[in-house]
């Protein structure tokens, strides 16, 4: 497979604002705030490397399994990382000598933490058990962990936090605002660093992402990159029966540069399966060997290679913190837009669009999409529409 560049920058490559975050004291509680592409995840991994080189006991925590895989590959050997939920449940059981109490299963069968019972158990623990030294915690996408998570850790005696977050990228129901993280960790003003420069997105991609910014000043959007060139974001409105043509186009795009990684981001499992199956089976004439096509969901967790070209088909919830050369937002008409809270959908699109470094395509079935049209930019210089 063709290799793509996927490695941590050296310290000498950091900007002045990134260096200010990197140089924060090893001990203490710190929050790094910034929009997509500002380098928050990179700084979290550099922080983890600092702890590793100092032989510190640390844990690098992320929201989901796919971001964990990407972080491990970007970091190299030896990252002491886990998903936050897996780590918390094992740490709580070890410290409290009992499993984490859980709520009844939701409609998907998932059992979330019962934070009220968690708090009761923690408050009943003997105080001497909370005095032992706890590991350093480096937390990526910290806005997607609930406030009670941070509060519980402080109550359990954890002292050293390095959290990177952007509340404008919240796409989970249980999440934390910047204010909540600052309050739960009792942060001083000088413990918070804001990142404002976008190092990932090409100008037109960043401009489209900016169109979905909800305007929350707690986490300002990144500055638009210099220059106004690059590929215009395109919305393709296609006939329902022409998914095969659409997928041939994605495979042909991958064939033009086998080193690029294309992310196909779906609104739900049904759309994800539909695109994945079509991309694997559709007949297409290519100049190079057929690109690898992979998917990642639930219990199906292959070893995705982020340093190779190909096509990765995932759900929107799984795209947090990832980076693709090209992002294709599949069947956006199937994204739920609540008229009482359209900003929830805008934040979802803000995240999805910002995954793309160079190009972004949106696909919508003809005759659908009335709800999602309400949040799409109408300026043809921000998003150009093509009807098939």
């Amino acid at each position: 497979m063709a290799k793509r560049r996927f490695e941590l920058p050296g310290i000498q490559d950091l900007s002045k604002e990134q260096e200010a975050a990197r140089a924060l004291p090893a001990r203490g509680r710190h929050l790094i705030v910034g929009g997509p592409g500002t380098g928050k995840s990179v700084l979290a991994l550099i922080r983890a490397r600092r702890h590793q080189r100092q032989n510190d006991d640390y844990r690098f925590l992320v929201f989901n399994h796919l971001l964990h895989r990407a972080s491990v590959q970007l970091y190299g050997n030896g990252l002491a990382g886990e998903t936050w939920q897996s780590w918390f449940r094992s740490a709580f059981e070890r410290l409290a000598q009992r499993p984490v109490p859980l709520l009844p299963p939701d409609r998907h069968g998932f059992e979330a933490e019962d934070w009220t019972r968690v708090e009761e158990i923690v408050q009943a623990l003997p105080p001497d058990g909370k005095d032992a030294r706890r590991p350093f915690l480096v937390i990526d996408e910290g806005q997607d962990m609930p406030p009670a998570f941070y509060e519980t850790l402080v109550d359990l005696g954890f002292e050293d936090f390095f959290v990177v977050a952007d509340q404008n990228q919240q796409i989970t129901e249980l999440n934390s605002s910047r204010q909540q993280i600052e309050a739960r960790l009792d942060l001083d003003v000088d413990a918070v660093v804001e990142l404002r420069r976008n190092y990932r997105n090409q100008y037109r991609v960043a401009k489209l992402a900016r169109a979905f910014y909800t305007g929350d000043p707690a986490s300002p959007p990144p500055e638009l990159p210099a220059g106004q060139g690059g590929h215009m974001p395109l919305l393709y409105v296609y006939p329902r029966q022409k998914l095969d043509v659409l997928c041939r186009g994605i495979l042909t795009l991958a064939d033009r540069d086998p080193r690029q990684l294309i992310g196909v981001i779906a609104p739900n499992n049904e759309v994800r399966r539909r695109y994945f199956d079509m991309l694997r089976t559709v007949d297409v004439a290519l100049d190079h060997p057929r690109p690898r096509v992979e998917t990642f969901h639930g219990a199906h967790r292959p070893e995705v290679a982020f340093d190779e070209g190909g096509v990765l088909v995932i759900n929107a919830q799984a795209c947090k913190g990832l980076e693709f050369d090209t992002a294709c937002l599949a069947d956006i008409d199937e994204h739920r837009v609540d008229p009482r809270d359209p900003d929830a959908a805008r934040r979802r699109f803000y995240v999805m669009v910002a995954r793309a470094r160079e190009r972004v395509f949106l696909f919508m079935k003809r005759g659908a999409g009335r709800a999602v049209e309400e949040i799409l930019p109408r300026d043809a210089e921000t998003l150009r529409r093509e009807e098939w």
Side-chain angles (χ1 to χ4, degrees):
M1 290 292 178
K3 292 290 185 179
R4 62 192 289 264
R5 184 176 180 180
F6 190 69
E7 58 187 16
L8 281 177
I11 293 176
Q12 70 279 1
D13 299 319
L14 299 181
S15 68
K16 185 176 181 179
E17 61 179 6
Q18 290 174 329
E19 174 59 22
R22 186 205 68 82
L24 289 168
R27 295 210 176 276
R29 302 174 184 179
H30 312 290
L31 174 62
I32 313 304
V33 176
T38 54
K40 300 185 304 299
S41 295
V42 165
L43 287 168
L45 287 168
I46 289 175
R47 183 75 168 197
R49 181 165 289 173
R50 173 180 175 179
H51 286 309
Q52 184 188 48
R53 289 173 174 170
Q54 295 175 172
N55 294 316
D56 294 330
D57 182 15
Y58 79 94
R59 293 297 181 274
F60 182 87
L61 305 179
V62 297
F63 173 66
N64 61 35
H65 292 280
L66 189 55
L67 180 55
H68 170 64
R69 296 283 179 88
S71 300
V72 168
Q73 288 187 34
L74 185 57
Y75 183 85
N77 295 327
L79 178 66
E82 296 180 64
T83 61
W84 76 269
Q85 211 154 37
S86 174
W87 173 83
F88 176 78
R89 292 185 180 188
S90 62
F92 181 90
E93 184 167 357
R94 183 177 66 255
L95 296 171
Q97 296 297 300
R98 66 183 73 186
V100 173
L102 304 175
L103 296 171
D106 62 15
R107 60 190 177 91
H108 302 293
F110 178 72
E111 298 174 303
E113 293 77 9
D114 183 341
W115 292 108
T116 300
R117 285 286 298 126
V118 166
E119 181 182 4
E120 292 172 354
I121 292 170
V122 172
Q123 294 304 320
L125 292 176
D128 57 342
K130 303 175 185 178
D131 294 336
R133 169 59 63 184
R134 304 286 190 243
F136 294 89
L137 296 181
V138 182
I139 302 176
D140 193 7
E141 300 294 342
Q143 74 279 352
D144 286 322
M145 290 69 164
F149 168 69
Y150 295 102
E151 189 168 355
T152 301
L153 292 179
V154 171
D155 289 343
L156 283 170
F158 287 84
E159 299 178 350
D160 302 300
F161 295 81
F162 186 90
V163 182
V164 303
D166 175 13
Q167 70 184 54
N168 289 304
Q169 295 190 67
Q170 296 169 338
I171 59 173
T172 61
E173 293 181 2
L174 294 175
N175 49 53
S176 295
S177 67
R178 170 178 177 171
Q179 184 179 24
Q180 287 170 324
I181 296 174
E182 290 178 349
R184 297 310 187 275
L185 297 184
D186 192 23
L187 295 178
D188 296 327
V189 174
D190 58 0
V192 181
V193 175
E194 289 189 358
L195 305 176
R196 296 182 178 274
R197 186 175 173 188
N198 187 336
Y199 300 92
R200 175 195 297 148
N201 307 124
Q202 174 258 17
Y203 172 82
R204 293 189 184 277
V205 172
K207 184 181 178 184
L208 177 59
R210 176 75 71 94
F212 296 107
Y213 173 65
T214 59
D216 192 329
S219 187
E223 300 168 357
L224 290 177
Q228 299 188 20
H231 302 281
M232 172 66 69
L234 295 175
L235 167 62
Y236 285 114
V237 182
Y238 74 99
R240 295 172 183 265
Q241 69 274 20
K242 294 295 185 181
L243 180 61
D244 58 336
V245 178
L246 198 63
C247 288
R248 286 191 187 97
I250 295 173
L251 293 170
T252 301
L253 182 63
D255 187 58
R256 291 177 187 167
D257 184 356
R259 296 170 300 175
Q260 73 167 315
L261 181 61
I262 299 176
V264 178
I265 305 173
N268 54 54
N269 264 326
E270 182 180 345
V271 172
R272 180 191 56 77
R273 285 194 296 266
R274 190 159 66 233
Y275 273 74
F276 178 61
D277 291 341
M278 185 65 74
L279 286 163
R280 284 194 307 165
T281 60
V282 68
D283 290 331
V284 60
L286 301 172
D287 296 326
H288 301 94
R290 194 180 186 97
R292 67 185 177 102
V293 177
E294 295 181 344
T295 191
F296 190 104
H297 71 98
H300 181 72
R301 300 170 184 169
E303 289 295 334
V304 177
F306 287 92
D307 62 346
E308 295 178 357
V311 181
L312 177 61
V313 189
I314 56 176
N315 287 330
Q317 293 280 21
C319 79
K320 294 301 297 290
L322 303 182
E323 179 180 293
F324 301 102
D325 300 295
T326 295
C328 299
L329 278 54
D331 292 1
I332 62 171
D333 48 280
E334 296 198 30
H335 279 283
R336 181 173 177 269
V337 180
D338 186 344
R340 297 166 299 179
D341 183 19
D343 279 355
R346 290 190 179 96
R347 284 191 293 269
R348 199 178 317 129
F349 276 73
Y350 184 64
V351 172
M352 293 188 296
V353 169
R355 299 310 97 200
R357 293 179 57 195
E358 299 174 4
R359 305 182 72 162
V360 60
F361 299 96
L362 288 71
F363 304 140
M364 183 167 68
K365 297 186 293 295
R366 184 180 296 166
R370 292 182 181 178
V372 79
E373 286 276 16
E374 295 301 316
I375 68 168
L376 295 179
R378 305 184 186 282
D379 175 15
E381 290 303 310
T382 301
L383 177 65
R384 190 166 299 165
R385 179 187 294 257
E386 292 190 9
E387 297 268 355
W388 284 12

